[in-house]
Amino acid sequence: MPDYPMLINGELVAGAKQLEVLNPATGVVFATVERADEKMLDAAVAAAAAAQVGWAATSFDVRRAALLKLADFVEANAANIARMLVMEQGKPLPQAEMEVGFACQFIRYFVDQDLEPQLIQDDEQYHVEQRFKPLGVVAAIMPWNFPFMMAIYKLAPALLMGNAVILKPSPTTPVTTLMLAEPLRDLFPAGLVNIIIDQNDLGSALSGHPQVAKVSFTGSTATGRRVMEAAASSLKRLTLELGGNDAAIVLPDADIDKTADRAVSAAFFNAGQVCVAIKRLYVHRSIYEEMCEALAIRVQDIIVGDGLEQGTTMGPVQNAQQYEKLTRYLEVAERDGTIIAGGQRKEGPGYFIEPTLVRDIEDGSPLVDEEQFGPVLPIIAFDEVDDVIARANASQYGLGGSVWTADADVASSLADRLDTGTVWINHHLHFGPHIPFAGAKQSGIGSEFGREGLLEFSQRSVVNRAKN
Ligand code: NAD
């Protein structure tokens, strides 16, 4: 069985302990990884702080060239990385290939940016410009749903801006991040990038570490609050991308077939384990029957299985805790609504939950009000637009939402009324390196992607010169 070392201070190192990594489709351990203790974490942060000083003095071109070599490595090893991604995360191989491809797109997008100062004022009296400087050591903490892409899309802008990075993947999906240990060792100065593995026990030491200047965290809202608490000790910069409970609102004039196709793919992609998956589908009562039927036909066509088997379109959920949580939501579905597709969990091996549609369910049910983060979708009928907007907004979350209608003006005005960081119209879940991504309310703080996402890894500094 392969054993994956961590990367600390330019060396591939063994840990204080090891961690076994399970394939969620088989329940079988397929890799062991080395795991850090707090002393090793301290060593990694100290190495990062030391290496960052030299890196901050390099030119943008030097950083860009190193990152492009990393993109070349990922491209050359894409097939192998995608395969391991399926084994650790569970998603079907084509989705894993897409994730690896996206990772490269993120690197290439960020290296195409520049860090030129922004001119604020230039007249007879003053020249004022805003410059972008590195922050220092960045802690990048990832969840288990898109582990590879997230490691890359935090790493690339942080390094480009002149920072050092500590990558900490989730304990259930550490392998594809650790596959980067060797190229990162070879491409960057010793200590500049470190990969630390834990068993959910080092996150707060890392996010509270006095030498860490910024935490870029993606994960649940509950953990995000703990990160914020730990970071408060030294007022660290924070980007928090947290949970969501995205509502899709389907108006009477929406195209039924197109909506059903796209809504199913946005609700069940990655077995529903997407922060911006459709998690509540509100359908106008006049088309409720028709829409439920159209959705059920499509959900019954989803092929559940091991992501490495050809033809699989949905894999297992990622871990045992998630499997138990979804099992409880299936019980809620049975109690609070009518199941029109799926409804069962498959007994082991593997963590398989059938893609499930639940109709005749109302707000107030935990399946509607909470973030299920899995393949169980409630379909709720509504009568009035004002009422459905209020229901969509009655959530602590505000990550994404969508409006489905043939009327572009109506869609555009409803978009202003949804309290979310993104509103899609006639689709859901589309994103990209050039599109800023941020959560409203308790779905997050700060923004990722786009130029804004890059600048989140900088300290802005105004230089204000008197001309006479
Ligand atoms: P999680 O919050 O349990 O874990 C995320 C990471 O935080 C892991 O690496 C974990 O080890 C680490 N961690 C645990 N305790 C910590 C602590 N006290 N301090 C710092 N880090 C700690 O999340 P998860 O279950 O892995 O992921 C699912 C959640 O992530 C869902 O709520 C989902 O919506 C959210 N998510 C959000 C986005 C987004 O961009 N908004 C993207 C993907 C997932």
Side-chain angles (χ1 to χ4, degrees):
M1 192 183 320
D3 180 73
Y4 292 85
M6 293 179 289
L7 176 63
I8 298 178
N9 199 14
E11 312 248 347
L12 303 180
V13 296
K17 290 183 181 157
Q18 286 77 37
L19 191 66
E20 294 186 325
V21 187
L22 280 184
N23 179 337
T26 61
V28 173
V29 174
F30 73 96
T32 60
V33 299
E34 298 295 322
R35 185 185 141 197
D37 58 13
E38 213 161 319
K39 239 170 85 188
M40 299 183 87
L41 171 68
D42 285 342
V45 177
Q52 193 267 332
V53 179
W55 185 247
T58 60
S59 70
F60 190 70
D61 285 344
V62 166
R63 300 175 204 162
R64 173 190 281 143
L67 280 161
L68 282 172
K69 284 190 187 146
L70 182 66
D72 292 344
F73 168 87
V74 173
E75 262 157 16
N77 293 276
N80 199 16
I81 297 169
R83 219 182 139 71
M84 295 309 275
L85 183 55
V86 175
M87 289 178 77
E88 68 174 349
Q89 205 282 331
K91 63 191 59 182
L93 187 59
Q95 290 182 23
E97 287 165 348
M98 198 190 296
E99 179 172 339
V100 176
F102 248 126
C104 291
Q105 283 182 38
F106 272 98
I107 298 178
R108 295 191 187 285
Y109 169 80
F110 283 120
V111 300
D112 272 351
Q113 304 298 308
D114 67 71
L115 300 182
E116 291 306 308
Q118 178 195 357
L119 184 63
I120 310 282
Q121 183 181 346
D122 190 33
D123 52 27
E124 310 81 59
Q125 271 190 301
Y126 302 109
H127 178 94
V128 185
E129 61 181 39
Q130 178 165 241
R131 298 180 184 171
F132 306 102
K133 299 179 179 171
L135 287 162
V137 178
V138 171
I141 304 179
M142 282 78 65
W144 42 255
N145 56 346
F146 295 94
F148 186 73
M149 181 176 74
M150 287 188 188
I152 294 276
Y153 76 50
K154 291 178 187 295
L155 180 74
L159 288 179
L160 208 56
M161 195 50 82
N163 301 290
V165 179
I166 311 287
L167 287 172
K168 197 205 81 59
S170 166
T172 57
T173 52
V175 174
T176 49
T177 306
L178 287 170
M179 289 173 86
L180 294 172
E182 226 173 290
L184 288 172
R185 178 198 62 183
D186 297 343
L187 291 172
F188 296 94
L192 188 71
V193 185
N194 301 268
I195 308 176
I196 286 290
I197 304 301
D198 73 340
Q199 202 167 25
N200 278 332
D201 56 340
L202 292 179
S204 103
L206 177 58
S207 37
H209 200 290
Q211 281 179 291
V212 167
K214 178 187 168 88
V215 184
S216 172
F217 172 84
T218 303
S220 63
T221 295
T223 312
R225 285 192 197 101
R226 289 200 282 278
V227 170
M228 199 169 182
E229 247 170 58
S233 58
S234 56
L235 286 178
K236 295 182 200 318
R237 275 51 184 159
L238 284 179
T239 304
L240 302 177
E241 294 294 349
L242 308 177
N245 194 13
D246 285 20
I249 299 173
V250 186
L251 300 184
D253 63 349
D255 179 319
I256 300 275
D257 283 327
K258 215 188 261 180
T259 303
D261 284 343
R262 295 180 183 177
V264 165
S265 106
F268 295 95
F269 186 75
N270 204 27
Q273 302 164 120
V274 185
C275 51
V276 282
I278 295 179
K279 293 179 180 146
R280 307 177 269 165
L281 186 63
Y282 289 95
V283 178
H284 192 266
R285 203 175 300 280
S286 62
I287 54 165
Y288 189 68
E289 295 301 324
E290 213 182 335
M291 196 69 210
C292 286
E293 271 170 40
L295 291 163
I297 291 167
R298 286 156 177 85
V299 168
Q300 277 146 10
D301 280 348
I302 294 174
I303 301 165
V304 179
D306 186 328
L308 288 178
E309 270 165 31
Q310 212 176 357
T312 295
T313 55
M314 196 184 96
V317 296
Q318 203 278 319
N319 55 62
Q321 204 185 347
Q322 191 69 3
Y323 185 58
E324 291 312 320
K325 182 174 139 189
L326 266 307
T327 302
R328 287 196 296 280
Y329 281 121
L330 288 177
E331 288 160 12
V332 168
E334 182 95 43
R335 184 192 72 197
D336 293 353
T338 310
I339 293 171
I340 54 169
Q344 300 297 314
R345 74 178 203 174
K346 220 172 87 182
E347 295 308 323
Y351 305 130
F352 290 100
I353 300 279
E354 287 181 348
T356 299
L357 287 175
V358 189
R359 59 169 287 173
D360 308 327
I361 188 164
E362 296 293 335
D363 293 73
S365 168
L367 183 58
V368 180
D369 294 355
E370 296 171 7
E371 182 189 36
Q372 74 276 46
F373 211 62
V376 183
L377 178 69
I379 315 166
I380 311 115
F382 74 89
D383 298 294
E384 301 293 334
V385 169
D386 288 346
D387 174 56
V388 78
I389 294 285
R391 283 150 77 184
N393 286 337
S395 169
Q396 64 167 334
Y397 298 118
L399 200 53
S402 56
V403 179
W404 305 68
T405 169
D407 189 326
D409 293 336
V410 168
S412 175
S413 81
L414 292 184
D416 282 340
R417 296 173 61 193
L418 283 175
D419 301 337
T420 57
T422 301
V423 179
W424 288 279
I425 296 172
N426 293 329
H427 68 158
H428 199 114
L429 207 154
H430 170 247
F431 73 101
H434 57 302
I435 304 173
F437 179 66
K441 299 193 279 187
Q442 293 187 46
S443 284
I445 289 180
S447 169
E448 290 192 294
F449 318 162
R451 187 162 171 78
E452 286 147 88
L454 176 64
L455 297 183
E456 286 243 336
F457 290 96
S458 72
Q459 175 59 52
R460 283 146 217 236
S461 164
V462 170
V463 178
N464 189 334
R465 174 166 59 91
K467 282 192 168 172
N468 46 46

